[in-house]
Amino acid sequence: MAFKALWITEDSNGKISREIKKREIADLPDGDVLIRVHYSGLNFKDALSASGNKGITRKYPHTPGIDAAGIVEQTNNAEFPVGAEVFVSGYDLGMNTSGGFAQYVRVPAPWIINKPANLSFKDVMTIGTAGFTAAVALRKMELLGQVPAAGPLVITGSTGGVGSFAVLLAASAGYQTIAITGKTNANEYLHSLGATTIESRSFVDDKSGKALIRPQWAGGIETIGGNILQTLLKGCKPEGTIACTGLVASNLLEGTVFPFILNGVNLVGVGSAEMPIGKKKEIWNQLANNKILLGNLSAIATEVSLDELNEVYIEKMLQGEIMGRIVVNTQL
Ligand SMILES: NC(=O)c1ccc[n+]([C@@H]2O[C@H](COP(=O)([O-])OP(=O)(O)OC[C@H]3O[C@@H](n4cnc5c(N)ncnc54)[C@H](OP(=O)(O)O)[C@@H]3O)[C@@H](O)[C@H]2O)c1
């Protein structure tokens, strides 16, 4: 049986091309469960995979999409019978396993989570890896003692997927937030998510050469890397935590040890894809019960088809132009 999928190919000169193509279910990788995908969501990693980044996807042709939600159609696993409403987020989906930018995926059962009954497929994919990652970041910070009374959290790439959920989750947990954005038209959006103040990227791009700068935030959720990550560490109040989640501008970690040894600042890593499934389920359960979060999903989501994803939104994400989450209705 044929189905529609985004298809990335590489020619003998290394040139990457993409198209929407009919694929055969028989060509999907082996796995326990065949899922008819209803929705997926666009993450930065997907945009890299779709443009030939070998750090994400080693071999082409390939279908990206690290998130997928839908209905089980074939199964050898009693936990996920035919008709079960499920989703997959992370592990190898969309990296070197055919991913969610398609009408079908076939995956190992240990990657699958039952969809919370109160969420639609679209809700789950609006949250997706991005919302989950922001939740993990805040949780890790709080395990190290981060509290709203200590002062504001700074959030970089704040109109992006991780950033939008970081602002929303932090605000819903009672934090003041400083949302950093390169966009000049994002104030209304960011305030609607709960941002307290909005600053341009230069606010967190210190070029003074100093090892420490005036502390202006009590912690941060960082998606950009390089000098911006370094600035967040230099300007963090004593005992605060900076959660490193991304590398949109740079994968470099630079700087001195002074934020750590003079101010007791913590740097924590967030890697959501490979987190053990039990822990993932626990955090998804918290997200599914966060009423403030659920009330804001429609403001964050832009629903698109596979064709629009291919023609417009992958490129927009690579250019840093996305606001919120691009949610892909694979059945359109
Ligand atoms: N650790 C994990 O498990 C995990 C999970 C998910 C994502 N991530 C990583 O987190 C990062 C964000 O992912 P995402 O899916 O949220 O991407 P996204 O939706 O594209 O958001 C990235 C945002 O970063 C800002 N930005 C873009 N280019 C920039 C530049 N050159 N300098 C400074 N800011 C820039 C833009 O926001 P503004 O215009 O508002 O500044 C953009 O919307 C990526 O590096 C991704 O790989 C990691």
Side-chain angles (χ1 to χ4, degrees):
M1 196 174 90
F3 67 95
K4 234 164 86 168
L6 180 67
W7 189 240
I8 314 295
T9 52
E10 181 180 25
D11 72 13
S12 54
N13 297 317
K15 182 173 175 289
I16 296 290
S17 307
R18 356 175 250 271
E19 63 176 319
I20 302 298
K21 175 183 146 112
K22 288 277 179 201
R23 296 190 61 196
E24 289 296 323
I25 285 182
D27 294 337
L28 284 172
D30 289 344
D32 303 312
V33 180
L34 178 71
I35 301 168
R36 179 168 191 211
V37 179
H38 285 238
Y39 279 91
S40 180
L42 177 62
N43 297 282
F44 193 73
K45 218 183 210 178
D46 302 319
L48 294 180
S49 171
S51 47
N53 186 305
K54 294 283 167 63
I56 308 289
T57 300
R58 288 187 301 275
K59 275 199 202 144
Y60 296 86
H62 174 64
T63 294
I66 64 172
D67 288 333
I71 298 178
V72 172
E73 276 207 7
Q74 289 172 13
T75 182
N76 65 17
N77 186 284
E79 197 185 342
F80 305 109
V82 170
E85 298 190 336
V86 299
F87 69 100
V88 182
S89 178
Y91 301 115
D92 194 49
L93 186 70
M95 295 185 65
N96 292 290
T97 299
S98 190
F101 294 159
Q103 293 175 323
Y104 282 91
V105 294
R106 194 189 280 122
V107 293
W111 295 0
I112 302 176
I113 300 178
N114 282 309
K115 179 178 74 59
N118 64 322
L119 302 188
S120 65
F121 290 127
K122 184 176 172 182
D123 291 340
V124 169
M125 290 293 97
T126 301
I127 299 170
T129 290
F132 180 82
T133 300
V136 173
L138 191 59
R139 180 180 158 115
K140 281 198 157 185
M141 293 164 71
E142 291 188 332
L143 283 172
L144 286 166
Q146 196 77 48
V147 287
L153 300 186
V154 64
I155 291 154
T156 58
S158 66
T159 67
V162 175
S164 293
F165 278 100
V167 172
L168 182 55
L169 288 169
S172 76
Y175 290 90
Q176 304 270 302
T177 54
I178 307 167
I180 307 299
T181 183
K183 299 183 178 77
T184 51
N185 60 343
N187 286 22
E188 195 182 328
Y189 172 73
L190 289 168
H191 281 309
S192 80
L193 299 182
T196 319
T197 56
I198 297 163
E199 298 286 352
S200 69
R201 292 176 190 167
S202 61
F203 186 75
V204 287
D205 199 7
D206 177 65
K207 304 271 175 56
S208 67
K210 293 179 180 164
L212 294 172
I213 57 173
R214 184 169 68 86
Q216 293 180 83
W217 42 85
I221 299 179
E222 212 297 283
T223 61
I224 310 300
N227 194 55
I228 290 184
L229 172 58
Q230 188 183 352
T231 304
L232 259 61
L233 291 165
K234 293 199 290 191
C236 187
K237 293 184 181 184
E239 301 301 325
T241 296
I242 304 300
C244 168
T245 73
L247 76 181
V248 169
S250 169
N251 60 11
L252 293 180
L253 174 60
E254 294 170 332
T256 73
V257 297
F258 290 118
F260 311 120
I261 66 170
L262 294 182
N263 286 341
V265 168
N266 307 302
L267 173 61
V268 296
V270 177
S272 61
E274 293 297 330
M275 184 177 281
I277 193 80
K279 228 173 172 189
K280 278 195 186 184
K281 287 179 183 170
E282 192 188 319
I283 293 168
W284 270 101
N285 190 40
Q286 285 170 359
L287 288 164
N289 286 297
N290 183 328
K291 290 204 171 61
I292 298 177
L293 175 108
L294 301 185
N296 278 277
L297 292 183
S298 59
I300 291 178
T302 300
E303 181 167 335
V304 307
S305 64
L306 280 169
D307 293 290
E308 290 167 322
L309 173 76
N310 180 33
E311 286 156 20
V312 181
Y313 290 95
I314 288 171
E315 203 48 47
K316 263 182 173 285
M317 180 163 275
L318 291 170
Q319 299 306 320
E321 290 171 5
I322 300 287
M323 189 120 76
R325 288 274 291 155
I326 301 306
V327 186
V328 187
N329 182 338
T330 56
Q331 299 298 320
L332 288 176

